[in-house]
């Protein structure tokens, strides 16, 4: 003898198409259906559950907003980001490594190779600067984003270039010594290429969540 | 232009569209988006009961889907994959909402929002809001989104039998609630 609860579970599960895989024996299904045909309580319950299923479907069957244009804008943005040529990424990564190398050179006190004589304190500061620049280049090579980084790099590059030109004109430095700044200038040029050719993908979206819309927890 | 939810013109299934989109086919992804938008949006609405928020959740779900379509291997159905993404989005949204202080809504806003939701939604609120979240998810995914029990189980990260029992338990609670409000509604309609 099958109890009413079991009958209701089997019949509604069958209605959902959930029986073939849940291991319910075919004989049990037949027994449940026969029971439902004879038991008015089960018939009434099954009928009510069917109405409720329908109510839920109807209740949530609003007109669906067409988000397609916005979705495809996301697609286009993601594609732009993904389409940065490998050569550009690799070049950025190479200058990042060069800047990191310069950082270690300053830390090791071997800046004299390029005519940069520094003490331990200044060497550490120069190393911090070179490492920061290296991180910016590496991040841009990785994610293709330039927004928020361009201003930082533009100031550094402009001041570096201005200082180099001034010192070369005044004869206070040599071209070889100034080669130490080449990775920064090349890296910034690559970032300009990325920004101009591929745009700057959006950052995290502010969805403007409204705290008054928090659903009630049962 | 087809509306969201319209069936594709050909027998091409969303699974095939997803595989094409994975390889970078923009048009395939656009058709996939049109086909699957209703399921994503209705699931969001069933959880948050707010159309504007449902829009935002759906959009964020699709934004994440765009970024991860390359990793979609077809181990589960596309809708199941989308719902799994959406559940993470919803968790993030609910967390963000809980962290923010409540806004002071003025009376006009309250009235406007109340009018936005017709009586059918109030019934849905009564029916679904009182359910424990795991039961509500199970019944919405199977009855509204239309996922088979196995796919709903994958989306929820539970066993198929668990989904089956949650759906049944949800139905028991809903039938009880329905029977409680039915006499009152019939009396209302009689007057």
């Amino acid at each position: 003898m099958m109890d009413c609860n079991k009958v209701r579970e089997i019949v509604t599960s069958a209605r959902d198409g959930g029986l073939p895989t849940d291991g319910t024996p075919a004989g049990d299904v037949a027994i449940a259906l026969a029971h439902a045909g004879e038991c008015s309580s089960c018939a009434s319950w099954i009928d009510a559950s069917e109405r409720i299923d329908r109510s839920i479907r109807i209740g949530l069957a609003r007109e669906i907003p067409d988000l397609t244009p916005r979705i495809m804008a996301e697609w286009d943005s993601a594609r732009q980001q993904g389409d940065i040529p490998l050569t550009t990424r690799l070049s950025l990564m190479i200058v990042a490594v060069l800047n990191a190398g310069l950082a270690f050179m300053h830390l090791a006190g071997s800046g004299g190779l390029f005519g940069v004589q520094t003490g331990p304190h200044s060497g550490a500061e120069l190393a911090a600067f070179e490492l920061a620049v290296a991180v910016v280049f590496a991040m841009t090579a990785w994610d293709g984003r330039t927004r928020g980084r361009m201003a930082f790099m533009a100031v550094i590059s402009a001041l570096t270039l201005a200082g180099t030109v001034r010192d070369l004109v005044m004869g206070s430095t040599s071209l070889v010594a100034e080669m130490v700044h080449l990775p920064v200038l090349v890296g910034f040029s690559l970032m300009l290429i990325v920004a101009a050719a591929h745009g700057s993908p959006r950052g995290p979206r502010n969805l403007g969540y409204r705290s008054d819309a928090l659903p009630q927890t049962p | 232009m087809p509306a969201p939810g319209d069936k594709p013109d050909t027998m091409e299934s969303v699974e095939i569209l997803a595989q094409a989109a994975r390889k970078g086919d923009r048009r395939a992804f656009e058709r996939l988006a049109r086909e699957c938008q209703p399921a994503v949006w209705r699931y969001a609405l069933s959880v948050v009961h707010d159309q504007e928020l449902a829009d935002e959740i759906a959009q964020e779900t699709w934004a994440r889907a765009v970024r991860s379509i390359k990793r979609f291997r077809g181990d589960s159905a596309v809708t199941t994959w989308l719902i799994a993404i959406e559940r993470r989005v919803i968790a993030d949204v609910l967390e963000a909402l809980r962290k923010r202080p409540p806004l002071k809504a003025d009376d006009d806003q309250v009235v406007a929002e109340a009018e936005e939701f017709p009586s059918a939604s109030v019934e849905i609120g009564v029916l679904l809001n009182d359910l424990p979240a795991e039961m509500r998810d199970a019944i919405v995914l199977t009855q509204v989104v239309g996922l088979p029990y196995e796919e709903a189980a994958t989306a929820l990260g539970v066993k198929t039998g668990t989904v089956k029992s949650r759906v049944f338990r949800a139905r028991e609670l809903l039938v009880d609630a329905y029977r409680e409000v039915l006499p009152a509604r019939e009396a209302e309609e009689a007057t």
Side-chain angles (χ1 to χ4, degrees):
Chain A
M1 183 73 180
M2 194 178 282
D3 71 50
C4 288
N5 261 356
K6 190 68 185 166
V7 167
R8 294 167 187 179
E9 185 173 10
I10 290 175
V11 172
T12 51
S13 180
R15 195 171 68 209
D16 292 342
L19 282 185
T21 55
D22 76 352
T24 304
D28 283 5
V29 179
I31 293 169
L33 289 172
H35 176 115
E38 292 168 2
C39 172
S40 60
S41 172
C42 282
S44 164
W45 190 95
I46 290 164
D47 180 56
S49 77
E50 204 167 351
R51 287 183 194 203
I52 288 164
D53 287 352
R54 205 162 42 237
S55 296
I56 294 171
R57 282 192 284 268
I58 291 169
L60 292 172
R62 310 257 178 78
E63 189 176 341
I64 309 295
D66 188 359
L67 301 175
T68 310
R70 283 190 275 173
I71 293 169
M72 295 319 294
E74 291 283 353
W75 171 277
D76 293 337
S77 173
R79 292 291 114 175
Q80 282 180 343
Q81 182 182 337
D83 284 348
I84 294 170
L86 187 62
T87 49
T88 308
R89 287 177 186 270
L90 279 176
S91 301
L92 270 167
M93 198 53 87
I94 288 168
V95 290
V97 170
L98 286 174
N99 273 101
L102 286 170
F104 286 113
M105 194 179 74
H106 289 308
L107 280 177
S110 49
L113 291 174
F114 288 93
V116 182
Q117 299 295 346
T118 57
H121 182 75
S122 300
E125 286 182 350
L126 277 171
F129 163 80
E130 297 288 1
L131 265 183
V133 170
V135 167
V136 170
F137 290 152
M139 286 172 71
T140 306
W142 179 257
D143 64 16
R145 294 178 187 226
T146 55
R147 181 175 291 177
R149 300 169 190 163
M150 290 305 286
F152 173 72
M153 288 308 303
V155 170
I156 288 174
S157 302
L159 291 178
T160 301
L161 187 61
T164 297
V165 170
R166 182 200 61 193
D167 292 348
L168 282 173
V169 168
M170 293 176 67
S172 60
T173 185
S174 69
L175 198 59
V176 174
E178 291 305 292
M179 293 293 278
V180 74
H181 302 309
L182 201 57
V184 170
L185 298 174
V186 171
F188 179 62
S189 303
L190 288 168
M191 285 182 71
L192 281 175
I193 291 170
V194 171
H198 308 292
S200 188
R202 297 186 328 182
R205 193 184 6 266
N206 178 10
L207 291 178
Y209 304 140
R210 291 163 38 220
S211 54
D212 57 328
L214 186 65
Q216 299 300 309
T217 306
Chain B
M1 181 184 288
D6 283 356
K7 295 290 173 196
D9 298 329
T10 66
M11 292 299 288
E12 212 173 14
S13 74
V14 289
E15 312 302 329
I16 294 171
L17 291 173
Q19 290 307 325
R22 185 187 173 194
K23 293 172 187 162
D25 186 334
R26 187 184 190 280
R27 192 164 170 272
F29 191 83
E30 187 172 358
R31 295 183 68 189
L32 178 73
R34 289 189 188 284
E35 179 67 14
C36 296
Q37 272 183 70
V40 170
W41 192 83
R42 286 187 180 126
Y43 180 60
L45 183 66
S46 75
V47 176
V48 298
H49 304 291
D50 180 285
Q51 298 200 33
E52 194 180 326
L53 198 53
D55 284 1
E56 290 175 351
I57 288 169
Q59 195 187 337
E60 180 62 15
T61 299
W62 283 105
R64 292 189 192 183
V66 162
R67 293 196 291 271
S68 55
I69 186 73
K70 281 185 178 174
R71 295 193 297 275
F72 176 68
R73 293 177 303 176
D75 294 338
S76 61
V78 176
T79 312
T80 308
W81 173 69
L82 286 167
I83 294 294
I85 293 173
E86 187 169 24
R87 285 173 56 76
R88 289 193 288 274
V89 172
I90 290 171
D92 291 347
V93 168
L94 296 186
E95 184 62 25
L97 286 173
R98 286 195 180 95
K99 283 179 180 168
R100 293 191 182 186
L103 295 178
K104 275 194 170 179
D106 59 37
D107 291 346
D108 290 343
Q109 185 186 346
V110 172
V111 170
E113 287 182 3
E115 285 175 349
E116 189 182 341
F117 293 94
S119 58
S121 304
V122 175
E123 281 190 26
I124 290 304
V126 172
L127 289 169
L128 294 177
N129 241 6
D130 290 344
L131 289 178
E134 68 274 13
M135 291 183 197
R136 183 195 58 216
D137 280 347
I139 201 145
V140 168
L141 289 180
T142 56
Q143 305 306 312
V144 179
V145 177
L147 295 183
Y149 283 7
E150 304 81 45
E151 293 293 342
T154 304
L156 296 171
V158 298
K159 293 179 178 173
T160 304
T162 305
V163 168
K164 184 182 169 184
S165 63
R166 284 180 184 175
V167 169
F168 180 64
R169 183 76 190 116
R171 282 189 168 125
E172 283 189 314
L173 295 173
L174 291 171
V175 168
D176 289 347
Y178 178 77
R179 285 177 168 164
E180 272 180 30
V181 300
L182 191 59
R185 190 180 304 162
E186 284 176 348
E188 223 173 70
E189 285 171 2
T191 57

